[in-house]
Amino acid sequence: MIKELTSCKCAAGSYYDKDSTSLCPSCPVTCATCTADNKCDTCVDGAIKSATDTNMCVCNTASGWFAEQVNAICTKCNANCKTCDGDEPTNCLSCA
């Protein structure tokens, strides 16, 4: 928690949860800001609001990003790729 003048608030990338043991749990990795574990307000770079669940963010695979599975983050495709399923040149699904 961060103290601001007369009140406290959670740091960027986390949200206030009075029922959590940490009070400020982290937002999902694709959310820049959130108000709950399942409520993204803004998305990180490379992510957009989901078409099927507008409360969540997903990697923008149509714009040169892919979902890196190990860390569950959005990662930029190799410069040779327009779309991809990995960051190597051999992972291109379509060329740039």
Side-chain angles (χ1 to χ4, degrees):
M1 276 218 169
I2 298 171
K3 179 151 177 40
E4 286 190 350
L5 298 177
T6 59
S7 65
C8 295
K9 73 175 201 171
C10 296
S14 62
Y15 62 96
Y16 177 72
D17 183 352
K18 66 178 176 57
D19 297 324
S20 172
T21 56
S22 71
L23 285 182
C24 292
S26 296
C27 295
V29 294
T30 53
C31 301
T33 60
C34 65
T35 51
D37 185 46
N38 59 356
K39 177 76 172 85
C40 297
D41 295 322
T42 60
C43 304
V44 296
D45 285 344
I48 56 173
K49 290 288 188 139
S50 170
T52 57
D53 181 357
T54 57
N55 288 321
M56 297 305 294
C57 297
V58 296
C59 294
N60 189 357
T61 56
S63 291
W65 296 82
F66 71 99
E68 194 260 85
Q69 299 303 312
V70 175
N71 297 309
I73 59 174
C74 299
T75 303
K76 192 85 171 131
C77 292
N78 180 281
N80 296 320
C81 306
K82 181 177 180 181
T83 59
C84 66
D85 60 6
D87 60 357
E88 296 297 320
T90 55
N91 295 120
C92 294
L93 300 174
S94 63
C95 297

XYZ file of all heavy atoms in Angstrom:
680
model
N 0.832 -1.186 0.000
C 0.000 0.000 0.000
C 0.868 1.238 0.000
O 1.935 1.238 0.577
C -0.888 0.029 1.229
C -2.134 -0.746 1.092
S -3.492 0.077 1.898
C -4.736 -0.957 1.227
N 0.366 2.255 -0.637
C 1.065 3.529 -0.721
C 0.213 4.584 -0.002
O -0.990 4.686 -0.243
C 1.261 3.941 -2.190
C 2.122 2.901 -2.909
C 1.884 5.317 -2.279
C 2.178 3.112 -4.404
N 0.834 5.342 0.878
C 0.107 6.409 1.578
C 0.148 7.666 0.731
O 1.193 8.099 0.292
C 0.735 6.687 2.939
C 0.016 7.797 3.685
C 0.131 7.615 5.156
C -0.491 8.708 5.968
N -1.720 9.257 5.570
N -1.018 8.223 0.471
C -1.156 9.480 -0.271
C -1.965 10.449 0.580
O -3.160 10.246 0.762
C -1.866 9.247 -1.604
C -1.022 8.579 -2.634
C -1.698 8.589 -3.987
O -2.892 8.950 -4.071
O -1.038 8.234 -4.966
N -1.299 11.449 1.090
C -1.911 12.458 1.954
C -2.679 11.798 3.093
O -2.082 11.346 4.052
C -2.786 13.417 1.141
C -2.044 14.224 0.069
C -3.030 15.080 -0.701
C -0.967 15.097 0.681
N -3.991 11.705 3.005
C -4.775 11.176 4.118
C -5.340 9.780 3.869
O -6.105 9.281 4.676
C -5.960 12.124 4.428
O -6.757 12.235 3.248
C -5.453 13.481 4.870
N -4.977 9.159 2.757
C -5.515 7.832 2.484
C -4.429 6.921 1.920
O -3.352 7.371 1.544
C -6.686 7.919 1.496
O -6.217 8.382 0.257
N -4.717 5.639 1.885
C -3.798 4.659 1.338
C -4.417 4.058 0.081
O -5.633 3.963 -0.036
C -3.538 3.543 2.340
S -2.699 4.108 3.822
N -3.560 3.700 -0.868
C -4.053 3.037 -2.060
C -3.013 2.016 -2.499
O -1.844 2.098 -2.115
C -4.384 4.020 -3.162
C -3.202 4.649 -3.848
C -3.660 5.523 -5.000
C -2.531 5.721 -5.982
N -2.940 6.354 -7.203
N -3.441 1.085 -3.307
C -2.545 0.047 -3.794
C -1.673 0.594 -4.913
O -2.063 1.503 -5.640
C -3.352 -1.145 -4.301
S -4.291 -1.953 -2.986
N -0.495 0.027 -5.045
C 0.432 0.422 -6.106
C -0.137 0.016 -7.460
O -1.020 -0.853 -7.555
C 1.780 -0.243 -5.889
N 0.382 0.629 -8.523
C -0.041 0.271 -9.877
C 0.170 -1.222 -10.096
O 1.159 -1.796 -9.624
C 0.764 1.071 -10.889
N -0.762 -1.840 -10.789
C -0.670 -3.272 -11.062
C -1.218 -4.145 -9.949
O -1.073 -5.364 -9.967
N -1.867 -3.513 -8.974
C -2.514 -4.267 -7.897
C -3.835 -3.583 -7.552
O -4.120 -2.489 -8.025
C -1.600 -4.356 -6.671
O -1.323 -3.073 -6.153
N -4.632 -4.234 -6.740
C -5.942 -3.682 -6.386
C -6.228 -3.950 -4.912
O -5.654 -4.842 -4.299
C -7.048 -4.297 -7.265
C -7.194 -5.793 -7.090
C -8.145 -6.320 -6.235
C -6.369 -6.674 -7.783
C -8.270 -7.696 -6.061
C -6.486 -8.039 -7.628
C -7.440 -8.552 -6.757
O -7.548 -9.903 -6.582
N -7.094 -3.150 -4.336
C -7.445 -3.296 -2.924
C -8.441 -4.432 -2.749
O -9.444 -4.502 -3.441
C -8.041 -1.992 -2.377
C -8.491 -2.122 -0.945
C -7.550 -2.206 0.066
C -9.828 -2.195 -0.633
C -7.947 -2.346 1.393
C -10.242 -2.339 0.693
C -9.291 -2.416 1.697
O -9.684 -2.576 2.996
N -8.131 -5.335 -1.829
C -9.031 -6.445 -1.504
C -8.977 -6.663 -0.002
O -8.033 -7.239 0.523
C -8.605 -7.710 -2.244
C -9.548 -8.880 -2.008
O -10.455 -8.772 -1.147
O -9.370 -9.914 -2.664
N -9.989 -6.173 0.700
C -9.990 -6.256 2.162
C -9.989 -7.696 2.665
O -9.575 -7.977 3.780
C -11.170 -5.487 2.742
C -12.532 -6.057 2.419
C -13.632 -5.243 3.081
C -15.006 -5.706 2.710
N -15.333 -7.074 2.984
N -10.428 -8.643 1.825
C -10.481 -10.044 2.237
C -9.197 -10.813 1.932
O -9.036 -11.949 2.340
C -11.658 -10.744 1.554
C -12.988 -10.126 1.969
O -13.121 -9.724 3.146
O -13.879 -10.034 1.109
N -8.270 -10.188 1.236
C -7.013 -10.854 0.877
C -6.006 -10.716 2.010
O -6.004 -9.721 2.739
C -6.444 -10.233 -0.396
O -5.157 -10.730 -0.644
N -5.133 -11.703 2.145
C -4.103 -11.620 3.186
C -3.081 -10.534 2.877
O -2.443 -10.009 3.782
C -3.371 -12.968 3.334
O -2.839 -13.349 2.068
C -4.302 -14.039 3.854
N -2.932 -10.145 1.605
C -1.958 -9.107 1.262
C -2.572 -7.717 1.112
O -1.853 -6.750 0.947
C -1.240 -9.481 -0.035
O -2.112 -9.357 -1.129
N -3.881 -7.588 1.144
C -4.634 -6.349 0.939
C -4.530 -5.800 -0.479
O -5.466 -5.232 -0.982
C -4.240 -5.251 1.934
C -4.751 -5.419 3.349
C -4.317 -4.220 4.197
C -6.255 -5.555 3.415
N -3.378 -5.955 -1.123
C -3.172 -5.452 -2.481
C -2.630 -6.563 -3.381
O -1.460 -6.543 -3.779
C -2.207 -4.275 -2.477
S -2.847 -2.788 -1.697
N -3.470 -7.538 -3.739
C -2.980 -8.578 -4.636
C -2.717 -8.020 -6.031
O -3.271 -6.989 -6.423
C -4.106 -9.610 -4.669
C -5.279 -8.980 -4.016
C -4.836 -7.738 -3.327
N -1.857 -8.705 -6.776
C -1.508 -8.274 -8.133
C -2.664 -8.484 -9.091
O -3.431 -9.439 -8.969
C -0.308 -9.069 -8.637
O 0.817 -8.790 -7.861
N -2.751 -7.579 -10.064
C -3.702 -7.741 -11.169
C -3.245 -8.915 -12.037
O -2.068 -9.280 -12.024
C -3.711 -6.483 -12.044
S -4.310 -4.994 -11.235
N -4.138 -9.481 -12.848
C -3.702 -10.474 -13.834
C -2.603 -9.864 -14.705
O -2.588 -8.646 -14.941
C -4.969 -10.752 -14.641
C -6.090 -10.439 -13.694
C -5.587 -9.272 -12.880
N -1.678 -10.676 -15.193
C -0.491 -10.150 -15.889
C -0.809 -9.346 -17.144
O -0.012 -8.510 -17.546
C 0.525 -11.259 -16.221
C 1.116 -11.839 -14.961
C -0.084 -12.326 -17.093
N -1.959 -9.552 -17.762
C -2.296 -8.784 -18.962
C -3.002 -7.468 -18.630
O -3.275 -6.675 -19.525
C -3.177 -9.612 -19.921
O -4.307 -10.097 -19.196
C -2.398 -10.776 -20.522
N -3.279 -7.212 -17.365
C -3.937 -5.971 -16.935
C -2.914 -4.961 -16.420
O -2.083 -5.294 -15.590
C -4.911 -6.243 -15.800
S -6.217 -7.404 -16.159
N -2.986 -3.731 -16.890
C -2.149 -2.662 -16.345
C -2.749 -2.168 -15.035
O -2.048 -1.926 -14.066
C -2.019 -1.527 -17.340
N -4.065 -2.015 -15.024
C -4.792 -1.637 -13.810
C -6.046 -2.496 -13.716
O -6.598 -2.922 -14.733
C -5.194 -0.146 -13.817
O -6.037 0.111 -14.952
C -3.969 0.764 -13.870
N -6.474 -2.727 -12.477
C -7.673 -3.543 -12.275
C -8.338 -3.161 -10.965
O -7.715 -2.526 -10.114
C -7.320 -5.033 -12.287
S -6.272 -5.558 -10.917
N -9.588 -3.568 -10.814
C -10.304 -3.328 -9.567
C -10.635 -4.639 -8.862
O -11.168 -4.626 -7.767
C -11.598 -2.531 -9.817
O -12.341 -3.180 -10.848
C -11.281 -1.108 -10.238
N -10.307 -5.758 -9.497
C -10.486 -7.093 -8.916
C -9.681 -8.073 -9.769
O -9.192 -7.714 -10.847
C -11.961 -7.486 -8.901
N -9.567 -9.301 -9.292
C -8.807 -10.319 -10.014
C -9.421 -10.612 -11.384
O -8.739 -11.063 -12.286
C -8.742 -11.607 -9.183
C -7.872 -12.649 -9.830
O -6.762 -12.292 -10.277
O -8.302 -13.810 -9.910
N -10.693 -10.354 -11.532
C -11.384 -10.641 -12.795
C -11.978 -9.376 -13.427
O -12.951 -9.436 -14.152
C -12.478 -11.679 -12.569
C -13.505 -11.210 -11.557
O -13.366 -10.152 -10.963
N -14.528 -12.004 -11.355
N -11.347 -8.205 -13.156
C -11.875 -6.937 -13.671
C -10.740 -6.004 -14.048
O -10.272 -5.191 -13.254
C -12.771 -6.281 -12.616
C -13.321 -4.922 -13.011
C -14.436 -5.031 -14.005
C -15.137 -3.728 -14.276
N -14.505 -2.902 -15.278
N -10.252 -6.133 -15.297
C -9.201 -5.244 -15.809
C -9.815 -3.915 -16.225
O -10.825 -3.890 -16.913
C -8.523 -5.859 -17.034
S -7.659 -7.391 -16.715
N -9.186 -2.832 -15.819
C -9.614 -1.508 -16.268
C -8.847 -1.106 -17.519
O -9.423 -0.574 -18.459
C -9.403 -0.468 -15.176
C -10.275 -0.739 -13.965
O -11.438 -1.166 -14.141
O -9.801 -0.537 -12.840
N -7.533 -1.345 -17.514
C -6.691 -1.073 -18.670
C -5.759 -2.262 -18.893
O -5.476 -3.020 -17.969
C -5.852 0.210 -18.485
O -5.012 0.053 -17.335
C -6.733 1.435 -18.348
N -5.291 -2.389 -20.130
C -4.445 -3.524 -20.514
C -2.986 -3.103 -20.649
O -2.697 -1.948 -20.933
C -4.916 -4.097 -21.856
S -6.647 -4.589 -21.882
N -2.069 -4.056 -20.468
C -0.637 -3.803 -20.682
C -0.369 -3.684 -22.173
O -1.208 -4.039 -23.004
C 0.228 -4.944 -20.081
C 0.061 -5.011 -18.576
C -0.082 -6.282 -20.732
N 0.815 -3.185 -22.536
C 1.221 -3.124 -23.941
C 1.124 -4.514 -24.557
O 1.547 -5.497 -23.942
C 2.661 -2.637 -24.079
C 2.796 -1.143 -23.839
O 1.771 -0.438 -23.862
O 3.937 -0.691 -23.629
N 0.556 -4.573 -25.742
C 0.408 -5.843 -26.440
C -0.872 -6.585 -26.124
O -1.141 -7.631 -26.684
N -1.682 -6.035 -25.228
C -2.948 -6.686 -24.866
C -4.121 -5.759 -25.179
O -3.974 -4.541 -25.232
C -2.960 -7.058 -23.386
N -5.278 -6.367 -25.419
C -6.515 -5.639 -25.688
C -7.630 -6.275 -24.865
O -7.486 -7.393 -24.370
C -6.886 -5.683 -27.189
C -6.996 -7.136 -27.680
C -5.896 -4.883 -28.010
C -7.515 -7.298 -29.091
N -8.728 -5.566 -24.723
C -9.886 -6.139 -24.037
C -10.392 -7.355 -24.807
O -10.464 -7.335 -26.033
C -11.018 -5.107 -23.912
C -10.718 -3.994 -22.934
C -10.768 -4.502 -21.504
C -10.650 -3.360 -20.529
N -11.540 -3.499 -19.418
N -10.728 -8.398 -24.106
C -11.216 -9.629 -24.720
C -12.572 -9.396 -25.375
O -13.428 -8.701 -24.825
C -11.343 -10.713 -23.648
O -12.027 -11.834 -24.150
N -12.767 -9.998 -26.542
C -14.060 -9.892 -27.234
C -15.132 -10.708 -26.517
O -16.311 -10.376 -26.583
C -13.916 -10.375 -28.677
N -14.732 -11.752 -25.812
C -15.703 -12.620 -25.144
C -15.933 -12.253 -23.684
O -16.952 -12.603 -23.112
C -15.267 -14.097 -25.221
O -13.964 -14.233 -24.645
C -15.253 -14.574 -26.668
N -14.982 -11.524 -23.076
C -15.118 -11.091 -21.686
C -14.452 -9.728 -21.559
O -13.250 -9.634 -21.342
C -14.473 -12.094 -20.738
C -14.605 -11.702 -19.272
O -15.154 -10.618 -18.975
O -14.135 -12.475 -18.414
N -15.220 -8.653 -21.691
C -14.661 -7.306 -21.724
C -14.056 -6.872 -20.386
O -13.472 -5.795 -20.302
C -15.716 -6.279 -22.169
O -16.840 -6.358 -21.282
C -16.152 -6.528 -23.603
N -14.178 -7.700 -19.355
C -13.524 -7.401 -18.083
C -12.071 -7.869 -18.071
O -11.336 -7.554 -17.151
C -14.271 -8.066 -16.920
C -15.585 -7.390 -16.634
O -15.686 -6.175 -16.692
N -16.599 -8.176 -16.328
N -11.669 -8.642 -19.064
C -10.319 -9.197 -19.099
C -9.556 -8.721 -20.332
O -10.151 -8.327 -21.321
C -10.371 -10.730 -19.077
C -10.994 -11.297 -17.811
S -10.214 -10.747 -16.271
C -8.607 -11.494 -16.388
N -8.231 -8.792 -20.254
C -7.359 -8.435 -21.373
C -6.694 -9.697 -21.909
O -6.379 -10.614 -21.148
C -6.276 -7.463 -20.905
S -6.912 -5.884 -20.300
N -6.500 -9.722 -23.215
C -5.831 -10.848 -23.882
C -4.763 -10.286 -24.817
O -4.836 -9.138 -25.238
C -6.820 -11.723 -24.677
C -7.824 -12.397 -23.748
C -7.561 -10.910 -25.727
N -3.781 -11.107 -25.142
C -2.728 -10.659 -26.058
C -3.322 -10.353 -27.419
O -4.180 -11.079 -27.913
C -1.649 -11.728 -26.176
S -0.760 -11.995 -24.634
N -2.857 -9.269 -28.033
C -3.358 -8.814 -29.329
C -2.613 -9.560 -30.435
O -1.709 -9.025 -31.061
C -3.182 -7.303 -29.444
C -3.863 -6.733 -30.653
O -4.428 -7.463 -31.461
N -3.816 -5.428 -30.794
N -3.018 -10.791 -30.688
C -2.325 -11.646 -31.645
C -2.467 -11.148 -33.083
O -1.660 -11.488 -33.928
C -2.823 -13.098 -31.551
O -4.248 -13.119 -31.735
C -2.481 -13.694 -30.191
N -3.451 -10.315 -33.360
C -3.627 -9.773 -34.712
C -2.648 -8.641 -34.996
O -2.482 -8.243 -36.140
C -5.058 -9.286 -34.905
N -1.988 -8.119 -33.977
C -1.083 -6.982 -34.151
C 0.352 -7.291 -33.759
O 1.054 -6.444 -33.214
C -1.581 -5.793 -33.332
O -2.764 -5.291 -33.894
N 0.794 -8.524 -34.000
C 2.200 -8.836 -33.796
C 2.613 -9.213 -32.388
O 3.764 -9.049 -32.012
N 1.699 -9.726 -31.602
C 1.998 -10.186 -30.243
C 1.548 -11.633 -30.110
O 0.669 -12.091 -30.825
C 1.271 -9.332 -29.217
C 1.709 -7.905 -29.199
C 1.289 -6.916 -30.044
C 2.654 -7.306 -28.320
N 1.916 -5.738 -29.743
C 2.756 -5.945 -28.683
C 3.409 -7.772 -27.257
C 3.589 -5.051 -28.017
C 4.236 -6.880 -26.595
C 4.320 -5.545 -26.978
N 2.126 -12.350 -29.153
C 1.677 -13.705 -28.855
C 1.676 -13.904 -27.342
O 2.333 -13.169 -26.603
C 2.546 -14.759 -29.555
C 3.927 -14.901 -28.985
C 4.216 -15.918 -28.085
C 4.943 -14.030 -29.349
C 5.495 -16.045 -27.559
C 6.219 -14.161 -28.836
C 6.496 -15.176 -27.932
N 0.920 -14.887 -26.890
C 0.840 -15.197 -25.465
C 1.987 -16.138 -25.111
O 1.984 -17.296 -25.495
C -0.506 -15.832 -25.143
N 2.965 -15.606 -24.400
C 4.103 -16.415 -23.963
C 3.618 -17.264 -22.790
O 3.241 -16.740 -21.745
C 5.258 -15.488 -23.572
C 6.578 -16.189 -23.421
C 6.922 -16.460 -21.982
O 6.473 -17.484 -21.462
O 7.617 -15.645 -21.391
N 3.586 -18.567 -22.972
C 2.920 -19.472 -22.033
C 3.623 -19.617 -20.681
O 2.964 -19.738 -19.661
C 2.746 -20.850 -22.671
C 1.883 -20.838 -23.921
C 0.498 -20.272 -23.683
O -0.166 -20.642 -22.736
N 0.073 -19.348 -24.524
N 4.943 -19.600 -20.647
C 5.655 -19.842 -19.392
C 5.318 -18.786 -18.346
O 4.983 -19.099 -17.211
C 7.180 -19.917 -19.617
C 7.929 -20.037 -18.306
C 7.522 -21.069 -20.547
N 5.385 -17.511 -18.736
C 5.108 -16.423 -17.799
C 3.733 -15.799 -18.002
O 3.392 -14.842 -17.322
C 6.186 -15.342 -17.926
C 7.545 -15.870 -17.560
O 7.720 -16.462 -16.506
N 8.509 -15.690 -18.434
N 2.966 -16.307 -18.947
C 1.608 -15.818 -19.239
C 1.602 -14.325 -19.540
O 0.752 -13.587 -19.064
C 0.662 -16.151 -18.099
N 2.577 -13.879 -20.334
C 2.656 -12.465 -20.701
C 2.551 -12.304 -22.208
O 2.757 -13.251 -22.955
C 3.965 -11.813 -20.198
C 5.178 -12.535 -20.780
C 4.008 -11.761 -18.688
C 6.499 -11.881 -20.471
N 2.240 -11.103 -22.658
C 2.198 -10.799 -24.085
C 3.607 -10.405 -24.530
O 4.232 -9.548 -23.922
C 1.237 -9.652 -24.357
S -0.461 -10.013 -23.872
N 4.077 -11.060 -25.581
C 5.427 -10.831 -26.084
C 5.354 -10.478 -27.559
O 4.556 -11.045 -28.298
C 6.287 -12.099 -25.878
O 6.279 -12.429 -24.487
C 7.716 -11.873 -26.331
N 6.193 -9.541 -27.978
C 6.227 -9.086 -29.369
C 6.773 -10.198 -30.258
O 7.718 -10.880 -29.915
C 7.125 -7.847 -29.465
C 7.027 -7.117 -30.772
C 5.870 -6.165 -30.749
C 5.884 -5.273 -31.966
N 4.606 -5.224 -32.622
N 6.153 -10.377 -31.422
C 6.633 -11.344 -32.412
C 7.991 -10.892 -32.952
O 8.348 -9.717 -32.872
C 5.672 -11.421 -33.602
S 4.064 -12.127 -33.236
N 8.721 -11.810 -33.539
C 9.954 -11.502 -34.247
C 9.642 -10.465 -35.321
O 8.555 -10.459 -35.892
C 10.509 -12.793 -34.863
C 11.786 -12.576 -35.617
O 11.762 -12.108 -36.760
N 12.897 -12.921 -35.010
N 10.588 -9.580 -35.627
C 10.367 -8.492 -36.590
C 9.963 -8.985 -37.973
O 9.334 -8.254 -38.735
C 11.623 -7.625 -36.694
N 10.290 -10.229 -38.325
C 9.932 -10.785 -39.630
C 8.486 -11.274 -39.695
O 8.014 -11.657 -40.758
C 10.864 -11.947 -39.982
C 12.297 -11.493 -40.141
O 12.544 -10.437 -40.697
N 13.224 -12.272 -39.634
N 7.814 -11.293 -38.554
C 6.464 -11.867 -38.483
C 5.395 -10.787 -38.301
O 5.581 -9.851 -37.536
C 6.355 -12.824 -37.302
S 7.583 -14.140 -37.243
N 4.277 -10.963 -38.972
C 3.096 -10.127 -38.730
C 2.294 -10.743 -37.592
O 1.822 -10.053 -36.700
C 2.243 -10.023 -39.996
C 1.021 -9.153 -39.830
C 0.255 -9.021 -41.125
C -0.968 -8.137 -40.938
N -1.727 -8.023 -42.184
N 2.122 -12.060 -37.632
C 1.499 -12.814 -36.550
C 2.393 -14.013 -36.267
O 3.147 -14.460 -37.133
C 0.074 -13.278 -36.909
O 0.131 -14.106 -38.072
C -0.851 -12.093 -37.157
N 2.315 -14.545 -35.040
C 3.218 -15.631 -34.675
C 2.675 -16.412 -33.487
O 1.701 -16.004 -32.857
C 4.585 -15.064 -34.321
S 4.574 -14.051 -32.826
N 3.351 -17.526 -33.197
C 3.033 -18.281 -31.988
C 4.296 -18.481 -31.137
O 4.375 -19.360 -30.304
C 2.349 -19.605 -32.306
C 3.188 -20.522 -33.167
O 4.351 -20.195 -33.441
O 2.668 -21.581 -33.557
N 5.294 -17.626 -31.368
C 6.547 -17.642 -30.617
C 7.425 -16.508 -31.102
O 7.105 -15.834 -32.082
N 8.574 -16.292 -30.420
C 9.408 -15.148 -30.780
C 10.541 -15.457 -31.742
O 11.322 -14.576 -32.084
C 9.952 -14.461 -29.524
C 10.810 -15.379 -28.671
O 10.961 -16.567 -29.003
O 11.332 -14.884 -27.662
N 10.643 -16.664 -32.230
C 11.661 -17.015 -33.204
C 11.136 -16.748 -34.627
O 9.939 -16.824 -34.876
C 12.035 -18.494 -33.064
C 12.668 -18.839 -31.724
C 13.973 -18.131 -31.497
O 14.770 -17.999 -32.442
O 14.198 -17.683 -30.348
N 12.038 -16.495 -35.595
C 11.605 -16.282 -36.987
C 10.834 -17.485 -37.540
O 9.985 -17.324 -38.402
C 12.904 -16.066 -37.746
C 13.896 -15.656 -36.731
C 13.479 -16.290 -35.433
N 11.111 -18.663 -37.013
C 10.424 -19.868 -37.476
C 9.013 -20.010 -36.911
O 8.280 -20.921 -37.281
C 11.237 -21.131 -37.117
O 11.484 -21.119 -35.702
C 12.549 -21.161 -37.876
N 8.625 -19.106 -35.998
C 7.300 -19.150 -35.386
C 6.282 -18.266 -36.090
O 5.167 -18.072 -35.595
C 7.364 -18.754 -33.909
C 8.149 -19.707 -33.062
O 9.127 -19.306 -32.453
N 7.753 -20.958 -33.031
N 6.627 -17.724 -37.253
C 5.705 -16.851 -37.979
C 4.487 -17.636 -38.468
O 4.606 -18.734 -38.987
C 6.377 -16.233 -39.207
S 7.714 -15.078 -38.821
N 3.313 -17.055 -38.262
C 2.089 -17.584 -38.857
C 1.773 -16.814 -40.134
O 1.140 -17.326 -41.039
C 0.932 -17.492 -37.872
C 1.126 -18.265 -36.561
C -0.024 -17.980 -35.601
C 1.258 -19.762 -36.831
N 2.234 -15.542 -40.178
C 2.177 -14.727 -41.384
C 3.371 -13.781 -41.358
O 3.875 -13.449 -40.289
C 0.857 -13.959 -41.487
O 0.723 -13.045 -40.430
N 3.837 -13.401 -42.531
C 5.058 -12.583 -42.624
C 4.737 -11.089 -42.561
O 3.668 -10.664 -42.983
C 5.796 -12.897 -43.918
S 6.371 -14.608 -43.980
N 5.714 -10.340 -42.083
C 5.569 -8.887 -41.965
C 5.693 -8.240 -43.338
O 6.207 -8.779 -44.265
C 6.626 -8.325 -41.033
